[in-house]
């Protein structure tokens, strides 16, 4: 993990557009440092006291929960964050989290102290409401993940995850035409969708043969977005995207 001083203003991308321009102008100077982590690195552990929160600038971050106490207990991926997301804004009121934060890919994050957050929202109810709305969107996404993995067939689950991630990445300005660098391994996809490796291989082949999308070496190339959304039964309302 590397940390260094921020030398240029951060761009307002993705979910940060939920904040008004004046409020972003107040918050942005509070991000005084940048932190870089490599893929697989644990950013914070469950139960670790936190006095700061992190805004994802580049890469993908996951939230994971360890199931079982015995040796060999598995970690389960319960959320993915994309650029423009606060990965742990809920640590501001909670101070400790019930899950780990882990770098899925190489990532860069901007650090803001909770003291600074408090100073900019004190006596500003509208600013507080806008920040609170970001945590409510996180909750909406968690509910959708529970619904997806509890009710959808394997093909729908993976297509729905892909449709969600690229929609969120579009909002973050990370898209390049129809190609998206997700950099997720097949085990990551399986974990996020509650599926085995055998299921993931079969689903990726089906999506490829349907001329819908191709996923190779972490790169998602979308040939037919409408078809992907149709297979996924994807409705982005639960994402509460800025401007929607």
């Amino acid at each position: 993990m590397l940390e260094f001083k921020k030398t240029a203003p951060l761009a307002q991308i993705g979910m940060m557009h939920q904040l008004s321009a004046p409020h972003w102008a107040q918050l942005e100077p509070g991000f005084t440092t940048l932190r870089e982590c490599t893929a697989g690195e644990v950013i914070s552990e469950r139960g670790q006291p936190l006095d700061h929160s992190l805004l994802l600038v580049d890469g993908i971050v996951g939230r994971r929960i360890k199931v079982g106490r015995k040796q060999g207990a598995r970690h389960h991926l319960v959320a993915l964050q994309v650029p423009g997301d606060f990965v742990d804004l809920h640590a501001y009121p909670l101070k400790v989290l019930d899950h780990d934060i882990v770098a899925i890919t190489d990532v860069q994050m901007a650090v803001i102290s909770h003291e600074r957050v408090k100073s900019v929202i004190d006596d500003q109810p509208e600013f507080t409401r806008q920040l609170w709305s970001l945590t409510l969107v996180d909750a909406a996404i968690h509910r959708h993940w529970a619904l997806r993995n509890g009710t959808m067939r394997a093909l729908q689950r993976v297509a729905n995850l892909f449709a969600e991630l690229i929609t969120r990445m579009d909002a973050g300005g990370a898209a390049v035409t129809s190609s998206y660098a997700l950099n997720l391994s097949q085990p990551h996809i399986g974990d996020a969708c509650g599926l085995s490796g055998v299921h993931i291989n079969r689903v990726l082949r089906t999506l490829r043969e349907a001329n819908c999308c191709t996923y190779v070496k972490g790169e998602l190339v979308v040939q037919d977005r409408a078809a992907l959304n149709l297979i996924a039964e994807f409705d982005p309302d639960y994402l509460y995207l800025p401007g929607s």
Side-chain angles (χ1 to χ4, degrees):
M1 183 182 299
L2 297 175
E3 191 164 299
F4 50 94
K5 187 174 181 179
K6 185 186 73 172
T7 57
L10 298 173
Q12 187 178 10
I13 63 172
M15 292 305 293
M16 288 302 97
H17 285 292
Q18 293 282 28
L19 304 181
S20 67
H23 286 151
W24 172 252
Q26 285 182 272
L27 188 66
E28 194 280 333
F31 295 100
T32 56
T33 56
L34 296 175
R35 183 176 297 174
E36 292 183 345
C37 295
T38 57
E41 190 171 351
V42 176
I43 298 165
S44 66
E45 293 185 329
R46 172 182 179 175
Q48 175 184 334
L50 297 172
D51 61 1
H52 62 274
S53 287
L54 302 168
L55 174 66
L56 186 57
V57 177
D58 187 49
I60 295 180
V61 161
R63 301 178 191 169
R64 69 181 190 186
I65 295 176
K66 186 177 181 180
V67 178
R69 297 182 179 274
K70 297 180 180 179
Q71 186 175 3
R74 283 194 59 200
H75 286 93
H76 290 268
L77 196 60
V78 296
L80 291 170
Q81 310 299 140
V82 301
D85 289 352
F86 265 113
V87 302
D88 55 1
L89 184 58
H90 49 308
Y92 170 62
L94 296 175
K95 302 308 177 190
V96 297
L97 301 179
D98 61 349
H99 52 275
D100 298 339
I101 305 292
V102 62
I104 301 297
T105 67
D106 292 347
V107 300
Q108 185 179 86
M109 301 161 293
V111 183
I112 189 168
S113 71
H114 290 165
E115 182 179 358
R116 174 65 177 176
V117 174
K118 183 178 186 301
S119 72
V120 297
I121 66 175
D122 275 354
D123 302 319
Q124 296 194 69
E126 178 57 21
F127 200 171
T128 304
R129 186 199 66 78
Q130 289 178 10
L131 286 176
W132 184 28
S133 73
L134 296 175
T135 65
L136 296 179
V137 173
D138 274 348
I141 294 173
H142 279 296
R143 287 191 295 272
H144 181 78
W145 277 44
L147 177 69
R148 178 177 67 218
N149 292 350
T151 65
M152 291 184 176
R153 297 174 288 108
L155 179 63
Q156 283 180 295
R157 292 187 203 182
V158 176
N160 195 276
L161 176 67
F162 283 166
E164 174 188 303
L165 289 176
I166 64 177
T167 299
R168 292 167 67 190
M169 292 176 78
D170 281 345
V176 179
T177 61
S178 61
S179 180
Y180 298 81
L182 298 184
N183 294 315
L184 298 173
S185 67
Q186 288 195 24
H188 284 142
I189 298 170
D191 196 3
C193 295
L195 297 169
S196 69
V198 173
H199 275 107
I200 297 303
N201 276 321
R202 185 181 303 130
V203 164
L204 293 180
R205 182 174 67 249
T206 300
L207 290 172
R208 182 177 65 250
E209 291 173 350
N211 294 317
C212 172
C213 63
T214 303
Y215 193 72
V216 178
K217 295 182 179 179
E219 191 82 10
L220 179 68
V221 178
V222 181
Q223 289 92 9
D224 189 337
R225 186 143 183 181
L228 175 64
N229 289 344
L230 184 64
I231 292 170
E233 296 184 5
F234 180 66
D235 180 345
D237 284 355
Y238 69 97
L239 298 175
Y240 294 91
L241 294 170
S244 63

